[in-house]
Amino acid sequence: MSKLNYQCSFNLEDCIKKLGLEERGKVQQFVTNEFMKNVQPFVPFDLAGKYDNPGRLIDSCHIEDGTDVVWSTPYARRLYYHPEYKFQGKGKSESDGPGRGAYWADRYMQNGGREEIEKGVRAEIRKLH
């Protein structure tokens, strides 16, 4: 019986780069943009017009450092951590979401967001091959 000698060299950095998984890479950009777009139906919404309420959360969402989705109003943190507040948009009209309110990022991810983003990431990685 003969011995089989095999040597494998694997470069993790090359693999990460090839798949677009590096910070600010194609996959990160996809995840950040998809999250920002799809979380909106869960974010508290004020039906007042943009000019009547210039600090509303829907319009204050942006991406920082190419990776972070940020709501940049002074009251965003307070709204995020207080589910007892009464929010507009409980699914009664077209502009309403599937339950706007506190912990919107967590609730989006728990209500299909994780699976939606994961499916999109797989498709993005397939495109890179």
Side-chain angles (χ1 to χ4, degrees):
M1 188 177 199
S2 65
K3 272 189 159 182
L4 185 60
N5 191 6
Y6 180 76
Q7 183 177 2
C8 177
S9 63
F10 177 78
N11 186 323
L12 182 59
E13 282 186 37
D14 287 347
C15 182
I16 287 171
K17 205 170 219 171
K18 183 174 182 177
L19 294 174
L21 297 173
E22 71 271 22
E23 188 174 355
R24 295 185 189 92
K26 289 186 183 286
V27 171
Q28 175 68 63
Q29 290 173 19
F30 172 82
V31 169
T32 302
N33 287 310
E34 283 299 294
F35 176 84
M36 188 170 94
K37 177 178 69 175
N38 295 330
V39 75
Q40 294 305 330
F42 293 85
V43 177
F45 182 66
D46 188 341
L47 294 176
K50 184 176 185 176
Y51 299 103
D52 297 334
N53 183 8
R56 66 186 190 169
L57 285 175
I58 294 287
D59 297 328
S60 72
C61 184
H62 66 278
I63 297 171
E64 284 184 7
D65 299 325
T67 58
D68 303 322
V69 178
V70 175
W71 285 267
S72 59
T73 63
Y75 55 86
R77 182 177 179 82
R78 183 169 19 108
L79 294 179
Y80 193 84
Y81 291 107
H82 288 279
E84 71 275 11
Y85 292 165
K86 302 289 184 221
F87 296 104
Q88 298 169 347
K90 296 294 182 188
K92 295 178 184 169
S93 74
E94 197 172 307
S95 66
D96 292 345
R100 296 180 184 277
Y103 305 109
W104 56 84
D106 298 327
R107 288 185 307 102
Y108 163 63
M109 295 303 281
Q110 293 166 0
N111 287 287
R114 179 176 176 220
E115 293 81 9
E116 186 176 68
I117 288 174
E118 193 174 293
K119 182 179 175 185
V121 164
R122 290 179 193 280
E124 284 296 307
I125 288 173
R126 277 192 295 276
K127 285 182 201 175
L128 296 172
H129 283 115

